Amino acid sequence: MRSILLIVALIPISSSIQAQNRRAIEFPDIPGFHTMICDLHIHTAFSDGSVWPNIRVQEAYRDEIDAIAITDHLEYLPHRADIPLPNHNRAFEVAKRANNDPSLIIIPGAEITRGMPPGHVNAIFIKDANALISSRGEEPMDIMNLFEEVHSQSGYAFWNHPAWIAQRPDGVAVLDDLHRVLIDSDLLQGIEVANQFTYSDEALQIALDYNLAILATSDIHGLIDWDFEVAEGGHRPVTLVFTEERTAKSLHEGLRARRTVAWFRNTLIGRESELLPLIHASITISKAVFRPRTSVLDITLENNSDARFLLRNTSDYTFHEDANLVEFRPHSSTVFTLKTAGQDGPYPITFEVLNAITAPNTHPEITLIVEPDV
């Protein structure tokens, strides 16, 4: 009798623990491509971070993301007195050795840490971070030579936190002549529109105007769980990269092809060419049934993603039980009722997706074609 009572008591506790521990970042694949979840700007104790590289690997396991880039500073090493650093590849080597999961891709990288312009820039997929610094006692490497070195290593460079108030006191991202030279020379290929806790409309417009990849990163220095309040439902900012295969090579190609969407504080940010297929893959119709002897249609939508979608009805149809705003919780089903006014189907329902952005102050619109079940 005692063992039976113990089993009964443990069932709700176990379910509760599982619900609280669910934290995997999940988005569906889109037609023709895999969706890879990536955090491409991460720090460790080997520059100004607070943790050893193996902790970054364990955090990635917990979030079940596909790739992280170790990007410690080249020129800023406040822990040098405690961690002498003759080898700037060391943090990557430690993280790679700590990784026991072949599905997690760990990318070598470094953060070029200069004044504006060009500011801070991440160089990832590099082969040797040591080649990006001058010998001790010399002046820092000329910036164009530095970017040429990244290019010679088949690296990928993107502009970090362009609206950082330490370098832009007004918080406005501005493209300088040097940035234009780097972009025109294909030495700068992406830009963070969201970094850690900030989002920049101006950075997004720069990405659109100059055909840069749209990125979001955690730029984590402390702990993911603390900084982004994961236990309270928060998430680290990540970049979704659409790839032909789940490999480092294909990830690099997807970044260079600008097939990216940023996810920051439940907001999806990207070009329509990537964002609309992702939204359509995330929101699907599973059922559409008329209520008996009425022209009112119950429609069940499935949300297959981690995003909490907020949709505003912009169609000619009205809802029976909801206002024009409908919220779809992550990984759940939602039912709303459509007044068809006796018209024959199918019924095209258009929504403005309020938690998605394709340009400053611009939300995309999707159309769901509702076919009633027979």
Side-chain angles (χ1 to χ4, degrees):
M1 185 67 174
R2 182 176 300 169
S3 61
I4 295 175
L5 289 174
L6 180 61
I7 292 172
V8 172
L10 284 176
I11 289 174
I13 296 174
S14 176
S15 300
S16 174
I17 290 173
Q18 287 179 355
Q20 291 174 10
N21 287 346
R22 192 206 170 280
R23 59 178 287 165
I25 299 175
E26 297 176 341
F27 284 89
D29 294 336
I30 66 174
F33 296 103
H34 298 285
T35 300
M36 295 188 69
I37 316 297
C38 309
D39 189 352
L40 303 176
H41 189 168
I42 286 176
H43 292 282
T44 76
F46 283 82
S47 64
D48 60 342
S50 301
V51 304
W52 208 246
N54 67 310
I55 300 299
R56 297 295 178 229
V57 174
Q58 293 171 24
E59 290 172 330
Y61 291 164
R62 290 167 67 84
D63 287 338
E64 296 185 23
I65 60 180
D66 296 295
I68 58 173
I70 305 297
T71 56
D72 280 314
H73 295 279
L74 288 176
E75 297 88 348
Y76 180 57
L77 302 170
H79 300 163
R80 186 189 292 273
D82 301 299
I83 307 176
L85 197 63
N87 178 10
H88 287 267
N89 302 305
R90 185 60 180 157
F92 165 72
E93 293 168 356
V94 173
K96 187 174 181 179
R97 190 175 63 229
N99 181 21
N100 297 314
D101 184 352
S103 67
L104 173 63
I105 297 170
I106 301 180
I107 302 166
E111 183 168 7
I112 299 165
T113 312
R114 301 293 182 92
M116 194 76 75
H120 294 195
V121 174
N122 266 4
I124 60 175
F125 294 105
I126 57 176
K127 297 178 175 63
D128 181 13
N130 296 315
L132 305 183
I133 60 173
S134 298
S135 300
R136 183 172 298 179
E138 296 181 5
E139 291 295 319
M141 186 184 297
D142 173 78
I143 198 67
M144 290 304 297
N145 291 339
L146 177 54
F147 277 84
E148 289 286 359
E149 176 61 31
V150 173
H151 179 74
S152 73
Q153 294 189 27
S154 301
Y156 179 90
F158 62 89
W159 187 6
N160 296 344
H161 44 69
W164 184 34
I165 58 174
Q167 294 187 325
R168 296 291 191 199
D170 59 1
V172 176
V174 177
L175 205 66
D176 291 293
D177 289 341
L178 178 57
H179 295 119
R180 293 185 179 90
V181 170
L182 293 170
I183 293 169
D184 291 344
S185 304
D186 194 32
L187 299 177
L188 186 66
Q189 296 99 15
I191 186 171
E192 291 178 347
V193 302
N195 168 278
Q196 202 168 38
F197 311 121
T198 60
Y199 161 76
S200 171
D201 265 340
E202 295 82 12
L204 176 57
Q205 192 60 58
I206 289 171
L208 298 174
D209 291 343
Y210 290 86
N211 191 31
L212 298 175
I214 295 168
L215 306 173
T217 69
S218 71
D219 193 2
I220 187 66
H221 290 70
L223 293 172
I224 288 289
D225 293 63
W226 290 1
D227 283 9
F228 300 106
E229 299 180 338
V230 174
E232 284 72 48
H235 68 88
R236 73 166 86 193
V238 293
T239 303
L240 314 183
V241 185
F242 305 101
T243 66
E244 295 181 356
E245 299 175 341
R246 292 187 180 275
T247 63
K249 180 180 178 180
S250 193
L251 174 58
H252 194 170
E253 186 276 328
L255 286 167
R256 290 197 62 86
R258 280 63 166 168
R259 292 195 304 268
T260 62
V261 166
W263 191 45
F264 170 75
R265 290 186 176 175
N266 193 51
T267 301
L268 293 163
I269 309 157
R271 296 176 176 85
E272 284 193 355
S273 54
E274 285 73 40
L275 195 49
L276 290 181
L278 179 65
I279 295 171
H280 279 291
S282 298
I283 302 175
T284 57
I285 301 169
S286 62
K287 186 185 298 184
V289 179
F290 282 108
R291 293 186 180 182
R293 298 178 298 280
T294 76
S295 59
V296 174
L297 188 62
D298 283 332
I299 302 168
T300 303
L301 294 186
E302 303 287 341
N303 183 355
N304 308 302
S305 78
D306 256 25
R308 186 180 68 257
F309 283 103
L310 183 61
L311 308 184
R312 185 175 72 87
N313 177 27
T314 58
S315 69
D316 293 332
Y317 298 98
T318 56
F319 300 151
H320 184 55
E321 295 177 348
D322 297 282
N324 277 331
L325 289 179
V326 183
E327 183 178 18
F328 298 97
R329 291 171 296 175
H331 303 288
S332 64
S333 300
T334 302
V335 179
F336 69 94
T337 54
L338 187 74
K339 292 184 284 189
T340 67
Q343 300 178 30
D344 293 332
Y347 307 101
I349 314 299
T350 56
F351 290 103
E352 183 182 20
V353 186
L354 298 181
N355 67 304
I357 301 172
T358 54
N361 301 313
T362 305
H363 304 291
E365 193 168 81
I366 62 169
T367 300
L368 302 179
I369 306 298
V370 181
E371 295 270 11
D373 299 344
V374 178

